[in-house]
Amino acid sequence: MIIGVDIGGSSIKAGVVRGKEVIKLERIKTPKDREEFIHAVINITNSLYQEYKNHSIKGIGIGCPGPLNTEHGVILKSPNLPKFTELGKAMRSNFGIPIIFENDANCFTLGEAVHCEGKDHAIVLGITLGTGFGAGLTINKTIYNGKGNALEIGHTIIKYDEEEQLPNLVKGCVEQYVSTVGILAAAKKWDLDVKEPLDVFQLAELKNEKALEIWKQFGYYLGITLTNCIHAFDPDVMVIGGQMNQAWLYFEEAMYAAIEQHCIGTPPKIYRASLKDGGIVGASLLIR
């Protein structure tokens, strides 16, 4: 058995993994304070470790938003987590088993490449739509990292003439439009009184025209981003996951339209993620 940890800007999830099945799952809200955050990761992991340590836990795989130093387990400048947080030292001083850190989107992509839609393909590009925008690439079931932090697609610019500057983001970058921040910023412009993307999704379910337009805009910018990824990496397949994947019905048409309009070749097949708790399962594969 292996413990997989999936750290996100909104929640921290940890699970005990056997094969591709998460047999015990725990979830907590992500603290914003650095010390509270470190203790939260240790505590949620330790809770599972103590319960299953007699079942031969082989190691702990941890996926978290980048950029990060995977060797030392240091979160560098993630817009949605405390900056320059050294998780590795604290975790390794508490657990006497192997611990490996990796970008969370890479973990998600690895899980899909090994177990699901990408298992019969060599080059798999994964996208996570959540608090931020994540992207990962696997080649023959191996994560591609570049020099260490490849595929930080969320920080690439897709609207050079953007005038609004959002906190902690590069002006006009992907994450300004295709993320929780993007959805809430769009909702504010459309005078919708919402607190989270789920509210916008629920309004879309009720056929609210403003909400539908927000998801359409989301899909357009996602399509532009995917087109850039296709031109850059030419993957065999692309897999899209993350919490905002639930709004697929409301953004897919605009997404595909943008790809069709701008892609110079034949785009790869695009799948919705099908692996349950993919981030946790993918993190466990770091140990396996």
Side-chain angles (χ1 to χ4, degrees), residues 52-198:
Y52 285 88
K53 64 181 180 180
N54 292 330
H55 296 267
S56 184
I57 298 293
K58 295 180 180 179
I60 302 168
I62 301 176
C64 54
L68 70 153
N69 181 317
T70 55
E71 180 180 357
H72 297 289
V74 180
I75 298 170
L76 300 176
K77 294 183 179 181
S78 172
N80 304 304
L81 295 175
K83 295 179 177 63
F84 307 111
T85 300
E86 189 172 355
L87 268 177
K89 186 175 181 180
M91 287 293 289
R92 288 171 178 137
S93 67
N94 278 272
F95 302 96
I97 56 178
I99 300 176
I100 298 178
F101 290 84
E102 185 54 81
N103 180 281
D104 58 344
N106 285 340
C107 293
F108 160 79
T109 307
L110 182 61
E112 291 288 336
V114 171
H115 291 301
C116 291
E117 304 298 352
K119 65 182 179 180
D120 296 323
H121 301 279
I123 305 174
V124 180
L125 193 143
I127 300 294
T128 56
L129 305 175
T131 305
F133 180 97
L137 183 72
T138 59
I139 303 173
N140 296 322
K141 310 297 185 284
T142 299
I143 294 170
Y144 174 75
N145 290 105
K147 292 188 295 181
N149 282 289
L151 276 89
E152 286 292 342
I153 303 298
H155 302 295
T156 61
I157 297 171
I158 56 173
K159 191 176 181 184
Y160 72 91
D161 59 349
E162 174 63 61
E163 296 181 356
E164 185 177 6
Q165 177 75 59
L166 297 183
N168 301 318
L169 293 180
V170 177
K171 189 186 297 185
C173 72
V174 171
E175 208 158 288
Q176 186 163 347
Y177 315 102
V178 192
S179 67
T180 292
V181 170
I183 287 292
L184 295 181
K188 184 177 181 180
K189 290 178 181 178
W190 283 91
D191 295 322
L192 286 181
D193 184 18
V194 297
K195 294 183 179 180
E196 56 183 324
L198 178 62

Side-chain angles (χ1 to χ4, degrees), residues 233-281:
F233 303 107
D234 196 20
D236 294 318
V237 295
M238 304 177 80
V239 186
I240 299 177
Q243 61 186 6
M244 285 194 286
N245 205 17
Q246 63 185 327
W248 181 275
L249 175 66
Y250 302 112
F251 67 70
E252 68 166 329
E253 183 177 351
M255 175 188 76
Y256 281 120
I259 293 172
E260 182 178 356
Q261 179 181 357
H262 298 288
C263 190
I264 61 173
T266 302
K269 182 72 175 179
I270 300 175
Y271 296 96
R272 291 181 71 179
S274 57
L275 181 61
K276 187 177 180 181
D277 301 313
I280 292 174
V281 175

Side-chain angles (χ1 to χ4, degrees), residues 17-56:
V17 183
R18 181 172 55 202
K20 65 176 182 178
E21 179 187 4
V22 178
I23 62 175
K24 178 67 179 288
L25 175 69
E26 295 193 1
R27 179 200 305 257
I28 57 174
K29 187 176 180 180
T30 304
K32 299 304 179 185
D33 175 77
R34 180 181 285 105
E35 293 302 316
E36 290 181 11
F37 171 71
I38 293 173
H39 287 304
V41 177
I42 292 172
N43 290 340
I44 193 173
T45 306
N46 190 52
S47 174
L48 295 172
Y49 179 74
Q50 293 300 326
E51 184 175 349
Y52 285 88
K53 64 181 180 180
N54 292 330
H55 296 267
S56 184

